[in-house]
Amino acid sequence: MEEGYLLGVYAGVVRVGTLGYDQTQDVFQFDYDAAWLASPSRYPLSPHLPLNGGAAPQAIRRFLENLLPEGEALVVAANDAKSKTLSGLDGAERAKEGHHHRSVAAVLSGCRPDEDARTLL
């Protein structure tokens, strides 16, 4: 991942894996942590995110989009995360235009999309 974000994913205090977003290619990736895979109590986060890996970037995107609220509630969530929507458009307008996935990345990174936040978390 050349330019993007990495986010640790936890179940309580146990690290499950790492979520990555490559902003140059606009794709997500998810890798389970080795300790999680070795745990007898492991489980996949979704049937679309199998433990053996191989989840398609679009399947990861859909999984994440379904976790977040839509429309105005997404705008509220983004503001609560001290994030702003792109180009001043609200989430409902952007969803109609097919750009709501960029809000997902912004909310996950905790950064405003207009910031030059290229550090890996």
Side-chain angles (χ1 to χ4, degrees):
M1 184 169 309
E2 292 182 20
E3 292 193 26
Y5 304 96
L6 295 175
L7 182 68
V9 177
Y10 291 82
V13 297
V14 178
R15 187 178 183 102
V16 175
T18 302
L19 175 66
Y21 174 70
D22 184 330
Q23 64 191 50
T24 59
Q25 297 182 35
D26 192 28
V27 295
F28 289 92
Q29 70 181 50
F30 183 78
D31 297 305
Y32 286 101
D33 191 75
W36 178 259
L37 291 173
S39 169
S41 59
R42 71 186 181 272
Y43 55 88
L45 295 179
S46 162
H48 303 288
L49 302 176
L51 289 172
N52 64 355
Q58 193 59 30
I60 298 167
R61 179 184 303 281
R62 282 191 302 272
F63 173 74
L64 295 171
E65 288 173 345
N66 287 325
L67 293 176
L68 296 174
E70 296 178 0
E72 191 63 30
L74 178 59
V75 173
V76 171
N79 288 336
D80 285 347
K82 299 193 186 319
S83 179
K84 293 184 179 177
T85 58
L86 290 173
S87 306
L89 299 175
D90 71 19
E93 290 173 326
R94 291 163 15 120
K96 288 178 198 170
E97 296 174 9
H99 296 296
H100 58 281
H101 62 274
R102 293 198 177 131
S103 281
V104 171
V107 170
L108 288 174
S109 70
C111 298
R112 292 191 315 266
D114 57 330
E115 287 181 328
D116 189 18
R118 297 183 181 178
T119 13
L120 298 179
L121 301 176

